[in-house]
Amino acid sequence: MQISDLPYSDPGVADARSGPRFLLWLGRNQIGGQLKSLAWGLLHFSSVAGLPYGVGYAVQAVVDRSGTRLAAAGGLIVLLGVAIALGDTMLHRTAVTNWITAAARVQQLLARKTAALGAALTRRVAAGEVVAVSTGDVEKIGWFVEALSRFAAAALTVLLVCVGLVVYQPALGAVVAIGMPVLALAVLPLLPRATRRADHQREKAGRATELASDTVAGLRVLRGIGGEELFLDRYRRASQEVRRAAVRSARMWSLISAIQVLLPGLLLIVVVWYGVHLAREGRISVGELVTVYSAVMILNYPLRHFEEIAMAYSFSRPSAQRAARVLSLQRVTEPAGGLLDATAPSGDLYDPATGVLAPSGLLTAVVCGDPDLAGRLADRLGGHPASTEPADTPDTTDSVDSVDGTAAGADERGAEETGLPSVLLGGVPLDELPLDVARSAVLVQDKDPVLLSGTLAELLSVPSSGSVRPDEALAAAQCADVLDALAQASLDEDPMNARITERGRSLSGGQRQRLALARSLVTDPEALVLDEPTSAVDSHTEARIAQGLRALRHGRTTVVLTSSPLLLDRADRVVFVQDGAAVAVGEHRELVRTEPRYRAVVTRETDAEPAAVRTGPRSASEADIEIDIEETA
């Protein structure tokens, strides 16, 4: 694989059981590039190691006053110099290729996994960790893959030189052969501590990155409540913790570097002292002494790669562990029941766990007594197993959340873990459908949808049935004022060509919400699940959206999780869910009169207001709601 051939047509299926296994898998998948790098590395390092012999041969030729041997030594040194230059150039090319191709493979694997998981990725893994994996961790993993072949070439060179010195000059060669393994292994006891400190630094850095992401994402809100300084102070403390951890890690690595300099120096002193003693006794020649001395000096160069591979592994192992953790988040993309070629089903959308039924072709509103249940129920209706964990803890299932107009099928393993039955669409369990089929059948818009950067035309260019045009969806979502604002910002005054900034930060919350709703309406799935789609708009706009949504989705299954009376009054049927089960079904006005618990949720009734009076005259809030509905109609 060359850089020009990227991206991979298929990056493969990673071994994500652990960080070391993932690194080993990457190395195996680049065996061709590793062998090329190893070959050029051997040429480079062996040529460098051959220089001492050429220098010693030249010195001995001068001592013996032999011009022929001096010329031969000069030719050998020139030849070795050419080999060194060629080997170093090609080693750098192949090593960098290994680095970039490994990083590209990891990036593709992460992108593929992110596309499959959607919003579940940030629920299972902290946001700061996701950022770290997709940026710095990829580079560190590539560094280890690149350094592996160079280390192998350096290790083989050191072994060959030690064997050659023993054959060339047994007395001094034995000293070098004994000392070199000591030099190579001397830092091993320090590596676990250095690795722990590096891991601690990565953990602190990930936490600081997460705080920075949260601060930037909530900057508009923080400015409104005056909480900027509080969050900035938290980030300052976190960054100082990162600095202290980095200093502690650097101290350990500096100690390892110092040992790598000190011990070769001590070995050199021993070789020189013993060599001079042997030369005085006439047991070795001056040229042999110079050769062994030069060899020990030169071996410091490949020995440095022992330190580099230790550092590369120390830094890349936690990075690979984080990447493997993300890549190990599995979901079933092939059905277990032989429905691989299944088409998208149609019919009623039914959740056996809660008893919520959304009849085919109707607009069904769901009111949850527990606000936290609404999001989990939306996930289940989209085919995701409900989580039994607290909301502030990572989800332990491998379910995939759908967000921003992305629907999803179910995760079989997550369903097994929670013990809850699968949601049915037309009687077909969603977790038995292939991922692409389930996504074409059910679409879930999260409570906080995200707008990607790009033009409005690109935002609305989503997989769809083709039955709903973008202008119809924008009209139903009441986006006229948004289009006017975008037209003023567009160079050609065409709102479809206006660019939307990252996450739609240039728009208000209500404008972002309406554009996200329009995107979901363009998709026109068999079943559309909307979680609080109008929470950020005013009541008059909300009433018009309710009317437009009902008209545009006529004959299609639509579920709206909301407690807004304006939306509830437009629904064909309303389901009230209390304590995880559907306890009442009917029309909005009927439930307000007959179901006190429903009325308390919808009208925000307080404990001071007696439920009995609700059977009499309407409250002011209910009267205002009905006036808004009648005015809109």
Short mmCIF file of all heavy atoms in Angstrom, two decimals, residues 484-509:
data_model
loop_
_atom_site.label_atom_id
_atom_site.label_comp_id
_atom_site.label_asym_id
_atom_site.label_seq_id
_atom_site.Cartn_x
_atom_site.Cartn_y
_atom_site.Cartn_z
N ASP A 484 -35.04 33.63 5.17
CA ASP A 484 -34.75 35.05 4.96
C ASP A 484 -33.40 35.42 5.53
O ASP A 484 -32.61 36.15 4.90
CB ASP A 484 -35.85 35.90 5.60
CG ASP A 484 -37.18 35.76 4.89
OD1 ASP A 484 -37.17 35.36 3.71
OD2 ASP A 484 -38.22 36.06 5.52
N ALA A 485 -33.12 34.92 6.72
CA ALA A 485 -31.82 35.23 7.35
C ALA A 485 -30.67 34.63 6.56
O ALA A 485 -29.63 35.27 6.36
CB ALA A 485 -31.81 34.70 8.78
N LEU A 486 -30.86 33.41 6.06
CA LEU A 486 -29.79 32.77 5.28
C LEU A 486 -29.63 33.45 3.93
O LEU A 486 -28.50 33.54 3.41
CB LEU A 486 -30.11 31.29 5.09
CG LEU A 486 -30.06 30.41 6.35
CD1 LEU A 486 -30.49 28.98 6.04
CD2 LEU A 486 -28.65 30.41 6.94
N ALA A 487 -30.73 33.93 3.33
CA ALA A 487 -30.64 34.62 2.05
C ALA A 487 -29.82 35.89 2.17
O ALA A 487 -29.05 36.25 1.27
CB ALA A 487 -32.04 34.92 1.52
N GLN A 488 -29.99 36.61 3.27
CA GLN A 488 -29.21 37.83 3.48
C GLN A 488 -27.72 37.51 3.65
O GLN A 488 -26.87 38.32 3.29
CB GLN A 488 -29.73 38.56 4.72
CG GLN A 488 -31.14 39.09 4.56
CD GLN A 488 -31.65 39.75 5.84
OE1 GLN A 488 -30.93 39.87 6.82
NE2 GLN A 488 -32.92 40.18 5.81
N ALA A 489 -27.42 36.32 4.18
CA ALA A 489 -26.02 35.94 4.39
C ALA A 489 -25.40 35.31 3.16
O ALA A 489 -24.17 35.19 3.09
CB ALA A 489 -25.92 34.96 5.57
N SER A 490 -26.23 34.93 2.18
CA SER A 490 -25.71 34.27 0.97
C SER A 490 -25.28 35.31 -0.05
O SER A 490 -25.92 36.35 -0.22
CB SER A 490 -26.78 33.35 0.38
OG SER A 490 -26.33 32.79 -0.83
N LEU A 491 -24.20 35.03 -0.77
CA LEU A 491 -23.68 35.96 -1.77
C LEU A 491 -24.65 36.12 -2.93
O LEU A 491 -24.78 37.21 -3.48
CB LEU A 491 -22.32 35.48 -2.28
CG LEU A 491 -21.20 35.45 -1.23
CD1 LEU A 491 -19.92 34.91 -1.84
CD2 LEU A 491 -20.97 36.84 -0.65
N ASP A 492 -25.32 35.04 -3.34
CA ASP A 492 -26.25 35.13 -4.46
C ASP A 492 -27.70 35.24 -4.00
O ASP A 492 -28.63 35.05 -4.80
CB ASP A 492 -26.09 33.92 -5.39
CG ASP A 492 -26.30 32.60 -4.65
OD1 ASP A 492 -26.60 32.64 -3.44
OD2 ASP A 492 -26.16 31.55 -5.29
N GLU A 493 -27.90 35.51 -2.71
CA GLU A 493 -29.22 35.69 -2.11
C GLU A 493 -30.11 34.45 -2.25
O GLU A 493 -31.33 34.54 -2.15
CB GLU A 493 -29.93 36.90 -2.73
CG GLU A 493 -29.21 38.21 -2.46
CD GLU A 493 -29.99 39.41 -2.97
OE1 GLU A 493 -31.04 39.18 -3.62
OE2 GLU A 493 -29.57 40.55 -2.72
N ASP A 494 -29.49 33.31 -2.50
CA ASP A 494 -30.22 32.05 -2.53
C ASP A 494 -29.99 31.35 -1.19
O ASP A 494 -28.86 30.96 -0.88
CB ASP A 494 -29.73 31.17 -3.67
CG ASP A 494 -30.55 29.88 -3.79
OD1 ASP A 494 -31.42 29.65 -2.93
OD2 ASP A 494 -30.30 29.11 -4.72
N PRO A 495 -31.02 31.20 -0.37
CA PRO A 495 -30.80 30.60 0.96
C PRO A 495 -30.27 29.18 0.89
O PRO A 495 -29.59 28.73 1.81
CB PRO A 495 -32.19 30.65 1.60
CG PRO A 495 -33.14 30.76 0.47
CD PRO A 495 -32.43 31.54 -0.59
N MET A 496 -30.55 28.46 -0.20
CA MET A 496 -30.06 27.09 -0.31
C MET A 496 -28.55 27.04 -0.46
O MET A 496 -27.93 26.00 -0.18
CB MET A 496 -30.72 26.39 -1.50
CG MET A 496 -32.24 26.33 -1.41
SD MET A 496 -32.84 25.50 0.10
CE MET A 496 -32.36 23.82 -0.23
N ASN A 497 -27.94 28.13 -0.90
CA ASN A 497 -26.48 28.18 -1.05
C ASN A 497 -25.79 28.83 0.14
O ASN A 497 -24.56 28.95 0.16
CB ASN A 497 -26.10 28.94 -2.33
CG ASN A 497 -26.56 28.22 -3.58
OD1 ASN A 497 -26.63 26.99 -3.60
ND2 ASN A 497 -26.88 28.98 -4.63
N ALA A 498 -26.58 29.29 1.11
CA ALA A 498 -25.99 29.91 2.30
C ALA A 498 -25.33 28.83 3.15
O ALA A 498 -25.86 27.73 3.31
CB ALA A 498 -27.06 30.64 3.10
N ARG A 499 -24.20 29.17 3.72
CA ARG A 499 -23.46 28.21 4.53
C ARG A 499 -23.92 28.27 5.99
O ARG A 499 -24.13 29.35 6.55
CB ARG A 499 -21.95 28.46 4.45
CG ARG A 499 -21.37 28.23 3.06
CD ARG A 499 -19.86 28.06 3.13
NE ARG A 499 -19.48 26.90 3.89
CZ ARG A 499 -19.45 25.65 3.39
NH1 ARG A 499 -19.81 25.43 2.13
NH2 ARG A 499 -19.05 24.64 4.15
N ILE A 500 -24.05 27.11 6.56
CA ILE A 500 -24.39 26.97 7.97
C ILE A 500 -23.12 26.63 8.73
O ILE A 500 -22.39 25.71 8.35
CB ILE A 500 -25.46 25.87 8.17
CG1 ILE A 500 -26.73 26.25 7.41
CG2 ILE A 500 -25.75 25.64 9.64
CD1 ILE A 500 -27.78 25.16 7.42
N THR A 501 -22.83 27.36 9.77
CA THR A 501 -21.61 27.13 10.53
C THR A 501 -21.70 25.82 11.31
O THR A 501 -22.76 25.20 11.39
CB THR A 501 -21.35 28.28 11.51
OG1 THR A 501 -22.47 28.41 12.38
CG2 THR A 501 -21.15 29.58 10.76
N GLU A 502 -20.57 25.41 11.87
CA GLU A 502 -20.51 24.16 12.61
C GLU A 502 -21.55 24.13 13.72
O GLU A 502 -21.69 25.06 14.50
CB GLU A 502 -19.12 23.98 13.22
CG GLU A 502 -18.96 22.67 13.98
CD GLU A 502 -17.64 22.60 14.72
OE1 GLU A 502 -16.90 23.60 14.70
OE2 GLU A 502 -17.37 21.56 15.32
N ARG A 503 -22.33 23.02 13.72
CA ARG A 503 -23.40 22.81 14.70
C ARG A 503 -24.46 23.91 14.66
O ARG A 503 -25.25 24.07 15.58
CB ARG A 503 -22.84 22.68 16.12
CG ARG A 503 -21.83 21.55 16.29
CD ARG A 503 -21.29 21.50 17.71
NE ARG A 503 -22.33 21.10 18.66
CZ ARG A 503 -22.61 19.84 19.00
NH1 ARG A 503 -21.91 18.85 18.46
NH2 ARG A 503 -23.55 19.56 19.87
N GLY A 504 -24.48 24.71 13.57
CA GLY A 504 -25.47 25.77 13.43
C GLY A 504 -25.36 26.85 14.47
O GLY A 504 -26.36 27.44 14.89
N ARG A 505 -24.12 27.17 14.90
CA ARG A 505 -23.92 28.13 15.99
C ARG A 505 -24.38 29.54 15.61
O ARG A 505 -24.65 30.36 16.49
CB ARG A 505 -22.46 28.14 16.42
CG ARG A 505 -21.96 26.80 16.93
CD ARG A 505 -20.57 26.92 17.53
NE ARG A 505 -19.98 25.62 17.80
CZ ARG A 505 -20.26 24.86 18.85
NH1 ARG A 505 -21.16 25.29 19.73
NH2 ARG A 505 -19.68 23.69 19.03
N SER A 506 -24.43 29.85 14.31
CA SER A 506 -24.85 31.19 13.91
C SER A 506 -26.37 31.35 13.96
O SER A 506 -26.88 32.45 13.76
CB SER A 506 -24.36 31.47 12.49
OG SER A 506 -24.89 30.52 11.57
N LEU A 507 -27.10 30.28 14.24
CA LEU A 507 -28.56 30.32 14.29
C LEU A 507 -29.02 30.23 15.73
O LEU A 507 -28.30 29.76 16.62
CB LEU A 507 -29.15 29.16 13.48
CG LEU A 507 -28.74 29.07 12.01
CD1 LEU A 507 -29.27 27.78 11.40
CD2 LEU A 507 -29.24 30.28 11.23
N SER A 508 -30.24 30.64 15.97
CA SER A 508 -30.83 30.52 17.30
C SER A 508 -31.24 29.06 17.53
O SER A 508 -31.29 28.25 16.60
CB SER A 508 -32.03 31.43 17.44
OG SER A 508 -33.09 30.98 16.59
N GLY A 509 -31.56 28.76 18.79
CA GLY A 509 -31.97 27.40 19.11
C GLY A 509 -33.23 26.99 18.36
O GLY A 509 -33.32 25.86 17.86
#
